[in-house]
Amino acid sequence: RVSELYGLTKADIDFEARRIKVERQLTRTRHCEYYIEKPKTASGERYIPMTNEVYQAFQNAIQRRKQPKVELLIDGHTGFLFLDKDGKPKVAMHLEHVMKRIVDRYNDTHEDQLPSITPHVLRHTFCTEMASSGIDLKSLQYLMGHSDVGVTLNVYTHASYETAQAAMKKAM
């Protein structure tokens, strides 16, 4: 979830254990007032293991993070990883707008048009790809932060002829 990503602080990244602690969402009101919420479900509080690529991406994010003149304190939390040009924490809308601009630019210059791609679409894609790779459903449920495996299986994973065909070949 983008709000969980943008709720991460430097203290949530454990490079030694190679894990990310997810325990909050950062959101903002229409009046630009920030606030912290718990993840959507109790299962949303979790640790996410870091792949080598994620490890490097967080290393880069922390190294490139500009030190704001004043570290914003939001509901007792400070040191948010992802800041906007004014040094304030980013919220989901920032990534949604960036992704829309990328798709719009692509569509302006290419005959084959891309559909609308949102951060949430990427979440569904991640879940589907992990399921297709053979990860067990309980582990996938945990990674996604779902309280019910039915949500993971019935809402977030998407099958196709190709994935069914590959599964059959693997089973035989």
Side-chain angles (χ1 to χ4, degrees):
R1 296 181 186 102
V2 179
S3 56
E4 291 175 352
L5 173 69
Y6 286 154
L8 293 175
T9 66
K10 292 186 276 185
D12 296 320
I13 310 302
D14 184 342
F15 287 109
E16 191 173 310
R18 288 183 169 250
R19 67 184 190 174
I20 304 160
K21 184 178 186 180
V22 178
E23 64 178 359
R24 76 187 72 78
Q25 298 185 96
L26 178 65
T27 54
R28 192 173 69 185
T29 67
R30 291 180 194 229
H31 305 291
C32 294
E33 297 165 344
Y34 290 92
Y35 62 98
I36 298 291
E37 289 184 323
K38 290 280 189 192
K40 286 177 85 171
T41 67
S43 302
E45 292 189 30
R46 62 205 185 277
Y47 286 96
I48 305 293
M50 282 193 261
T51 62
N52 290 337
E53 294 82 5
V54 170
Y55 179 93
Q56 191 59 55
F58 276 105
Q59 287 275 355
N60 293 342
I62 289 172
Q63 288 172 1
R64 292 179 184 153
R65 182 184 183 272
K66 293 183 180 168
Q67 186 63 37
K69 292 178 185 176
V70 176
E71 275 290 350
L72 209 54
L73 181 67
I74 303 169
D75 297 337
H77 300 280
T78 191
F80 293 93
L81 290 180
F82 302 101
L83 306 176
D84 66 15
K85 62 182 177 8
D86 297 324
K88 294 181 179 174
K90 287 185 177 184
V91 292
M93 171 209 58
H94 286 97
L95 185 56
E96 291 163 4
H97 286 195
V98 166
M99 290 180 72
K100 182 176 181 349
R101 282 195 307 271
I102 291 169
V103 169
D104 288 348
R105 281 189 199 148
Y106 179 91
N107 287 342
D108 287 345
T109 58
H110 292 78
E111 194 172 313
D112 292 334
Q113 300 286 288
L114 291 174
S116 175
I117 301 171
T118 66
H120 201 70
V121 167
L122 297 179
R123 184 170 159 78
H124 281 257
T125 302
F126 169 81
C127 191
T128 299
E129 291 297 317
M130 292 300 289
S132 295
S133 75
I135 190 172
D136 69 276
L137 287 176
K138 290 304 282 183
S139 293
L140 185 54
Q141 172 192 356
Y142 172 83
L143 289 172
M144 298 298 291
H146 293 149
S147 59
D148 182 353
V149 74
V151 173
T152 308
L153 186 59
N154 298 322
V155 177
Y156 278 84
T157 55
H158 306 283
S160 67
Y161 172 77
E162 290 78 15
T163 58
Q165 182 182 37
M168 280 188 67
K169 282 183 183 177
K170 191 176 180 181
M172 304 201 125

